[in-house]
Amino acid sequence: MGANPNFDDIVTTTLRNRSGKLADNATKTTALLDRLRRRGKVKPAAGGRTIVQELEVALNPNGGWYAGYDTLSTNAFEPFTAAEYDWKQAYVPCVWSGLDKLKNMGEFEVIDLVANRVKNSEKTLYDLVASASYSDGTGSGGKQLHGLGLFVVQANTSGTVGGIDRNANTFWRNQTGSVTMSATTVNIASTNPSLFLAALNSLAINCTRGSDRPDLYVADGIGYKQYLESLQPIQRITNPELGGYGFTNLKYFGVGSNADFVLDNGYCPAKTVFALNTDYIYLRPHPDRNFVPFGGDRIPVNQDATVRFLGFTGNMTASNLKLQGILSSTN
């Protein structure tokens, strides 16, 4: 009996059937990406030289009070501008050799092999995007996705985001805060949890504008521990919805807020808490390359193998940085 003639068809069918799940599952890799999905902030960008994110930067200064025949201003005012973000591309190969074909002659053996290869490729692609959601976009020679490491930083008066200079535009600067945090020694914050909460509350206040306030706090293990210890004198309140998605989480009831406080012990920077208003953060995938297979089979000229790629093209974008915040450690 020869090699399974349906092997490549099974690979194709498996990838096609799973492609509808890829984008959805990828956004569940971290609490940040999951929140963007559930709030409708995964917005495909269908094309163009760059990904354009519209910004409202100011209120009209030309209005005011008047009486009787006072002259009314007719000055034009343009409150909108835009940030531009480059396209970023990621891929993972799914590879099988000629020998794999020969060894897998039965239908079930083939499906099992393909399913496991595809799952591994999926996890790898998820991991690339999840880790990059905290990056500054400089990884892989500047080819990496933009993330919180670019949007929400301690050095908030320098650098360019979306083509807009932070130094020259105060509206484009995130909020910052600091407090002592330590994973190994008794420190000021854990000895006196009110200091950590005071710093967190100050950051939350600075990130609040009317009814606009952070809805998601993401912390590494050390930052999460500080918050957890600060709540131990009182009842801890968790969010069962996020818990159902597998995220370790608490609630932050402060500054009129009912926000989720979530642990990301994988990619969130050490000794860091992000205060995020996800109304203004987006994942912008291209609809034709949104965690899907692309390009068909590739057969190397000098190998007995077949390759098919899973890919993502897009970027993370932000439309308001002033309402985002970061709390990091002074030590």
Side-chain angles (χ1 to χ4, degrees), residues 164-194:
I164 300 175
D165 182 5
R166 290 189 213 252
N167 184 54
N169 296 278
T170 58
F171 75 86
W172 207 226
R173 300 175 188 173
N174 62 269
Q175 308 300 321
T176 65
S178 60
V179 69
T180 301
M181 288 188 258
S182 173
T184 57
T185 60
V186 176
N187 60 83
I188 296 174
S190 60
T191 304
N192 185 355
S194 63

Side-chain angles (χ1 to χ4, degrees), residues 46 67 69 136 154 171 177 196 229 315 317 328:
Y69 292 100
D136 62 5
Q154 281 290 348
F171 75 86
F196 179 84
E229 289 178 351
N315 210 339
T317 67
S328 56

Side-chain angles (χ1 to χ4, degrees), residues 35 38 215-218 239 242 249-252 258-262:
R35 175 58 62 91
R38 290 192 290 117
D215 60 280
L216 180 65
Y217 292 80
V218 182
N239 179 358
L242 274 180
N249 66 95
L250 299 165
K251 297 289 282 186
Y252 171 74
N258 183 11
D260 298 308
F261 197 103
V262 181

Side-chain angles (χ1 to χ4, degrees), residues 5 29 66 79 83 102 105-106 109 120 134 161 176 188 208 211 218 247 286 298-299 303 322:
T29 307
Y66 76 99
L102 294 172
M105 295 181 179
E109 288 85 353
N120 180 266
Y134 290 96
V161 179
T176 65
I188 296 174
T208 298
S211 61
V218 182
F247 302 115
H286 193 288
R298 317 286 179 95
I299 302 176
Q303 286 183 305
K322 198 167 188 176

Side-chain angles (χ1 to χ4, degrees), residues 39-63:
R39 293 191 63 133
K41 300 301 178 180
V42 178
K43 294 188 176 294
R49 182 179 61 85
T50 59
I51 302 173
V52 177
Q53 191 67 58
E54 296 79 9
L55 313 178
E56 184 176 11
V57 299
L59 299 178
N60 193 329
N62 296 316

Side-chain angles (χ1 to χ4, degrees), residues 39 207-214 255-257 277 279-280 323:
R39 293 191 63 133
C207 292
T208 298
R209 181 185 62 188
S211 61
D212 262 340
R213 58 179 66 92
V255 199
S257 179
N277 187 327
D279 277 342
Y280 304 102
L323 297 181

Side-chain angles (χ1 to χ4, degrees), residues 47-323:
R49 182 179 61 85
T50 59
I51 302 173
V52 177
Q53 191 67 58
E54 296 79 9
L55 313 178
E56 184 176 11
V57 299
L59 299 178
N60 193 329
N62 296 316
W65 300 99
Y66 76 99
Y69 292 100
D70 288 354
T71 300
L72 307 185
S73 173
T74 59
N75 293 336
F77 174 69
E78 177 53 66
F80 302 108
T81 185
E84 290 186 278
Y85 298 90
D86 293 331
W87 293 97
K88 304 292 185 175
Q89 296 178 283
Y91 79 98
V92 174
C94 185
V95 184
W96 58 97
S97 69
L99 185 60
D100 290 331
K101 286 187 179 185
L102 294 172
K103 287 181 176 179
N104 288 270
M105 295 181 179
E107 177 183 359
F108 295 103
E109 288 85 353
V110 172
I111 291 176
D112 184 64
L113 171 71
V114 171
N116 282 289
R117 293 278 176 86
V118 171
K119 284 180 181 179
N120 180 266
S121 296
E122 289 174 9
K123 289 178 181 178
T124 306
L125 188 58
Y126 301 163
D127 192 70
L128 281 172
V129 175
S131 61
S133 68
Y134 290 96
S135 78
D136 62 5
T138 61
S140 298
K143 301 173 186 176
Q144 193 177 37
L145 188 86
H146 292 157
L148 297 183
L150 176 67
F151 302 146
V152 191
V153 296
Q154 281 290 348
N156 65 346
T157 60
S158 62
T160 300
V161 179
I164 300 175
D165 182 5
R166 290 189 213 252
N167 184 54
N169 296 278
T170 58
F171 75 86
W172 207 226
R173 300 175 188 173
N174 62 269
Q175 308 300 321
T176 65
S178 60
V179 69
T180 301
M181 288 188 258
S182 173
T184 57
T185 60
V186 176
N187 60 83
I188 296 174
S190 60
T191 304
N192 185 355
S194 63
L195 293 179
F196 179 84
L197 281 179
L200 187 66
N201 291 340
S202 294
L203 183 67
I205 290 170
N206 291 336
C207 292
T208 298
R209 181 185 62 188
S211 61
D212 262 340
R213 58 179 66 92
D215 60 280
L216 180 65
Y217 292 80
V218 182
D220 77 311
I222 297 172
Y224 192 85
K225 174 177 175 287
Q226 299 293 321
Y227 187 59
L228 182 65
E229 289 178 351
S230 74
L231 299 181
Q232 286 181 340
I234 63 174
Q235 182 180 1
R236 294 194 299 274
I237 303 172
T238 63
N239 179 358
E241 181 182 6
L242 274 180
Y245 283 96
F247 302 115
T248 303
N249 66 95
L250 299 165
K251 297 289 282 186
Y252 171 74
F253 290 101
V255 199
S257 179
N258 183 11
D260 298 308
F261 197 103
V262 181
L263 170 65
D264 187 340
N265 210 15
Y267 299 117
C268 184
K271 301 181 182 180
T272 300
V273 179
F274 289 104
L276 304 176
N277 187 327
T278 60
D279 277 342
Y280 304 102
I281 302 174
Y282 306 83
L283 182 65
R284 304 292 306 276
H286 193 288
D288 294 336
R289 195 64 60 81
N290 188 10
F291 297 96
V292 294
F294 69 94
D297 292 345
R298 317 286 179 95
I299 302 176
V301 296
N302 60 348
Q303 286 183 305
D304 180 15
T306 305
V307 182
R308 189 166 296 147
F309 295 109
L310 299 176
F312 169 86
T313 296
N315 210 339
M316 278 186 66
T317 67
S319 61
N320 187 312
L321 299 184
K322 198 167 188 176
L323 297 181

